[in-house]
Amino acid sequence: MFIVKMGKKLGLAAIALAVALSSVQVFAAESSGIVVASRGAVSAFGGGQVRTLSQGDQIYVDDRITTGDKSFAVLQFIDGAKVTVRPNSSVVVEEYVYNNNEDDEGTLNLVEGGLRIITGAMAKSNPESYKVRTPVALMGVRGTEFAVMLCGDEVCDENAESESGLPEGL
């Protein structure tokens, strides 16, 4: 009798473990990129959890990436695009699907602060599929490199921020 009860418990534990691992694999499959460089306080809020980010960490659709004072993160997305999240900034990865076809979609939402973006294959092959939202505008991307900076309720000159804490060229 004891062996049968233990067998049932082990069987239930194995099923629970399989379900947990399958949900982790699904989460990992949704990775939209990685952190290739960071400094200072960089975190992601997604899936109901806050994660501290550093070089090599995965980023996912629906992550809100936030940087602190004198902090930054360089994100490389699955199509090769590089996005520098400037100090005191917050950006949400609303959508990022790249399969090199007409279904490609990339939308970043700059909630506060600034970004510098070097576009990847998606914006080069299908520019209308790559967008950056702000509280005051939706930008379609037609170039290969640009910067966006929010100052309160408007988009402003990226040089308006003094002592950004970024290494030169980022």
Side-chain angles (χ1 to χ4, degrees), residues 38-42 66-73 84-89 161 164-166:
S38 69
R39 181 173 70 197
V42 180
T66 303
T67 57
D69 191 39
K70 296 185 180 178
S71 301
F72 73 91
T84 301
V85 184
R86 297 174 59 92
N88 299 310
S89 297
E161 180 183 29
S164 69
L166 287 174

Side-chain angles (χ1 to χ4, degrees), residues 86 115-116 146-149 156-162 170:
R86 297 174 59 92
L115 300 174
R116 180 171 182 271
F146 64 97
V148 180
M149 193 76 184
C156 62
D157 180 0
E158 75 170 311
N159 296 320
E161 180 183 29
S162 62
L170 290 180

Side-chain angles (χ1 to χ4, degrees), residues 15-89:
I15 291 170
L17 181 62
V19 168
L21 289 176
S22 68
S23 66
V24 169
Q25 289 174 340
V26 168
F27 186 64
E30 295 177 7
S31 173
S32 56
I34 62 169
V35 178
V36 294
S38 69
R39 181 173 70 197
V42 180
S43 61
F45 178 79
Q49 298 180 336
V50 176
R51 306 182 318 275
T52 299
L53 294 179
S54 59
Q55 186 175 0
D57 288 339
Q58 300 289 313
I59 52 174
Y60 302 92
V61 168
D62 293 328
D63 272 353
R64 180 179 180 143
I65 293 127
T66 303
T67 57
D69 191 39
K70 296 185 180 178
S71 301
F72 73 91
V74 179
L75 314 174
Q76 183 164 353
F77 287 89
I78 54 178
D79 70 327
K82 285 192 178 174
V83 175
T84 301
V85 184
R86 297 174 59 92
N88 299 310
S89 297

Side-chain angles (χ1 to χ4, degrees), residues 61 78-79 95-107 121-123 125-131:
V61 168
I78 54 178
D79 70 327
E95 189 170 24
Y96 220 97
V97 176
Y98 179 71
N99 295 308
N100 198 20
N101 62 35
E102 66 278 350
D103 295 330
D104 295 344
E105 286 292 328
T107 304
M122 184 187 319
S125 65
N126 192 5
E128 58 278 352
S129 66
Y130 196 89
K131 300 170 193 76

Side-chain angles (χ1 to χ4, degrees), residues 81-84 86 108 110 114-120 123 127 130-134 138-149 155 158 170:
K82 285 192 178 174
V83 175
T84 301
R86 297 174 59 92
L108 303 177
L110 178 61
L115 300 174
R116 180 171 182 271
I117 300 172
I118 301 172
T119 60
Y130 196 89
K131 300 170 193 76
V132 177
R133 287 186 203 283
T134 72
L138 171 63
M139 292 168 269
V141 176
R142 299 295 180 264
T144 57
E145 184 176 337
F146 64 97
V148 180
M149 193 76 184
V155 177
E158 75 170 311
L170 290 180

